[in-house]
Amino acid sequence: MINYDYILVGGGASGLMMAYRMSKDSFFDNKKILIIDKEKKTANDRTWCFWEKNEGEWDDVLAKTWQKIQFKSEIHSLEGSILPYQYKMIRSEKFYHKIWNQLANKTNITFVEEAVLSIHQEENSARVVTSSATFHSKVVINSIVFSDESKKQTKFPVLQQHFVGFFIKTLEDSFNNESATFMDFKIPQKGNTRFMYILPYSENEALFEYTLFSENLLPISEYETEIENYLREKNITNFTITEKEKGSIPMTCYHFWKNNSENIIHIGTAGGWSKASTGFTFKNTT
Ligand SMILES: Cc1cc2nc3c(=O)[nH]c(=O)nc-3n(C[C@H](O)[C@H](O)[C@H](O)COP(=O)(O)OP(=O)(O)OC[C@H]3O[C@@H](n4cnc5c(N)ncnc54)[C@H](O)[C@@H]3O)c2cc1C
């Protein structure tokens, strides 16, 4: 039997943030902690934005902040200051590096790069099964969404916030990087809620994300065509796509916490920390 005091199943935003906090608290210095993830996260696979007043814990890894935001629709458009809040953006690579650098100093924290197949509540402990081993702990903190249980139930509606984004770079200065466009609804709605989310992070660089609130995902080509159409309409033609990102975030009031048991706690999206109305999760994790 391989035993740990704590096992963090999933080393993404919430698992790593949990490990980071544990590494900073001397209570855990003599505790054996295991993090398991199918891949060690180090790259830019996510752009996390969140609202925050004043200074915050993640300010040293911010890529950009905005104090003004815009909404646009056929009947009304507005741009306004959000002070005393700021809209803060993190590119995940810096976040992951900050955390892995901190964890590198802790000999009591181990990382195993393996797929987790299942977790089980046992009598007075929990068991974690990976592709090549079984681990046991009194406290398993899980951030992997294993089942689509939330979609199978009918009590709470479940929408997805799903999107594809292009990071583009233009030859000439093209953007007002002091203002983020939260929702531009001036695009064909096609029977559900669709908008463009635009984060200009310099005068010639911006993230354009075609976003829907709906039940079913689209073929990737459909999101991409809509971004291309939008850019063409805005006369943004001379650009290169430097990166792409995609995501799907559950928007539901389903009680994810009901899956917690005596020795297994669910955190992050798996714990229901994605806000049902917006999909924002990062701030709920901090
Ligand atoms: C592209 C994108 C952009 C987002 N932008 C924002 C934003 O701007 N603001 C915001 O608040 N929220 C945002 N979100 C939502 C949310 O903040 C993120 O999804 C966040 O990463 C959730 O953290 P988490 O720990 O729950 O999940 P994750 O960060 O996804 O971590 C889960 C981890 O589990 C691992 N894993 C999964 N299955 C297995 C398995 N079987 N075995 C082993 N490991 C496994 C994965 O590799 C991953 O590292 C975004 C999501 C995406 C996808």
Side-chain angles (χ1 to χ4, degrees), residues 64-239:
K64 173 80 182 146
T65 58
W66 295 269
Q67 296 173 354
K68 281 188 204 159
I69 58 172
Q70 298 180 42
F71 290 86
K72 294 176 185 168
S73 79
E74 295 299 347
I75 49 169
H76 188 60
S77 293
L78 65 88
E79 179 182 48
S81 162
I82 54 170
L83 287 172
Y85 286 91
Q86 295 191 66
Y87 196 53
K88 300 186 174 185
M89 173 168 108
I90 294 177
R91 301 294 323 273
S92 56
E93 183 178 359
K94 273 197 164 182
F95 170 89
Y96 295 139
H97 279 133
K98 173 180 164 114
I99 292 185
W100 285 119
N101 284 342
Q102 163 71 16
L103 301 186
N105 303 320
K106 309 298 280 191
T107 51
N108 61 321
I109 301 182
T110 310
F111 176 73
V112 165
E113 189 163 349
E114 271 184 32
V116 176
L117 303 181
S118 56
I119 53 178
H120 307 270
Q121 175 65 48
E122 310 270 83
E123 204 180 328
N124 297 323
S125 73
R127 178 164 55 95
V128 179
V129 182
T130 71
S131 37
S132 72
T134 299
F135 302 93
H136 295 262
S137 179
K138 288 267 183 210
V139 186
V140 167
I141 301 166
N142 172 55
S143 56
I144 298 176
V145 181
F146 280 105
S147 72
D148 54 359
E149 211 174 314
S150 66
K151 289 186 198 153
K152 283 189 212 142
Q153 55 80 40
T154 49
K155 186 171 177 193
F156 300 102
V158 185
L159 293 180
Q160 298 292 318
Q161 176 176 158
H162 49 111
F163 50 87
V164 166
F166 285 178
F167 291 84
I168 69 161
K169 188 168 187 163
T170 55
L171 276 183
E172 302 89 34
D173 290 350
S174 310
F175 310 118
N176 167 13
N177 66 350
E178 292 188 351
S179 184
T181 300
F182 261 39
M183 294 168 141
D184 183 352
F185 290 107
K186 289 161 94 172
I187 56 174
Q189 294 296 297
K190 301 185 182 177
N192 32 45
T193 303
R194 301 178 182 223
F195 58 92
M196 199 64 77
Y197 173 63
I198 307 162
L199 299 178
Y201 49 94
S202 80
E203 284 172 345
N204 69 335
E205 292 167 298
L207 168 63
F208 284 79
E209 219 150 67
Y210 183 69
T211 309
L212 288 87
F213 296 166
S214 71
E215 268 176 73
N216 301 314
L217 308 195
L218 306 176
I220 292 289
S221 59
E222 204 171 319
Y223 305 87
E224 297 200 339
T225 303
E226 294 294 344
I227 302 173
E228 284 157 8
N229 291 344
Y230 188 86
L231 292 170
R232 203 173 308 112
E233 259 180 38
K234 302 286 172 205
N235 282 328
I236 302 170
T237 49
N238 212 347
F239 63 87

Side-chain angles (χ1 to χ4, degrees), residues 8-67:
L8 303 178
V9 176
S14 61
L16 287 182
M17 217 183 277
M18 176 71 77
Y20 181 75
R21 291 277 164 72
M22 290 167 109
S23 75
K24 295 219 152 200
D25 186 333
S26 58
F27 172 84
F28 295 100
D29 280 353
N30 60 354
K31 306 287 188 297
K32 272 178 68 185
I33 300 169
L34 174 67
I35 307 169
I36 314 176
D37 199 298
K38 61 186 178 189
E39 54 176 319
K40 186 169 180 178
K41 290 288 181 81
T42 53
N44 267 335
D45 62 345
R46 309 261 152 115
T47 308
W48 291 301
C49 290
F50 56 99
W51 301 66
E52 194 166 59
K53 275 187 194 169
N54 309 319
E55 291 170 3
E57 183 179 7
W58 306 101
D59 282 1
D60 58 335
V61 293
L62 293 180
K64 173 80 182 146
T65 58
W66 295 269
Q67 296 173 354

